[in-house]
Amino acid sequence: MSGSMPMPADGPTPALFLKWNLESEGNHHLIGLFVALGDVFLLAQDVWKKRLSAVRYAWPVCFLLSGLFVLVYSDTELWPFGPKPWIQGTITKPRRYPAQDLRRLASGFGSGRNGESA
């Protein structure tokens, strides 16, 4: 006995689990980079806006990019990477909802009015 848990014959293999884990870690690192970059732009906005007025749009763009990235890469079984349509993947797999909630949250932050009052 090698100490690893036996897998059912029709279930995912350990190599497939490793592939999923590496993919998930890569996604988390890239999202973390977008969030950290957005934070830098947000904190430095007042200093940089005198030299470059477009910097006030940089942090919302970072949050929108992170939301779009989570939308597209949340499940590689779905189109454009896999054969399943988006609606089938979101309805039949409720474990995907946390990733979709993160996408909505990040996109909501990115679509804000940059601190302006309504």
Side-chain angles (χ1 to χ4, degrees):
M1 182 175 260
S2 64
S4 63
M5 191 166 83
M7 296 295 296
D10 59 344
T13 64
L16 192 55
F17 276 123
L18 179 62
K19 179 184 172 241
W20 290 340
N21 189 24
L22 291 174
E23 179 181 310
S24 177
E25 282 185 31
N27 290 348
H28 282 87
H29 288 135
L30 192 57
I31 292 297
L33 176 70
F34 282 137
V35 170
L37 190 61
D39 290 341
V40 167
F41 283 126
L42 180 63
L43 292 173
Q45 176 179 346
D46 291 333
V47 175
W48 291 347
K49 73 179 174 183
K50 292 178 179 107
R51 283 183 257 160
L52 184 64
S53 62
V55 78
R56 69 182 187 155
Y57 300 110
W59 69 267
V61 168
C62 288
F63 285 115
L64 282 172
L65 286 175
S66 65
L68 289 173
F69 182 81
V70 171
L71 171 69
V72 173
Y73 285 96
S74 64
D75 191 353
T76 54
E77 294 175 349
L78 302 179
W79 183 88
F81 302 105
K84 295 182 183 178
W86 281 96
I87 193 72
Q88 180 185 3
T90 55
I91 291 174
T92 60
K93 291 189 175 185
R95 64 185 172 90
R96 299 293 184 216
Y97 288 142
Q100 293 167 355
D101 292 340
L102 175 65
R103 172 189 47 86
R104 288 185 193 109
L105 182 65
S107 297
F109 279 129
S111 64
R113 294 181 46 101
N114 295 330
E116 299 173 7
S117 58

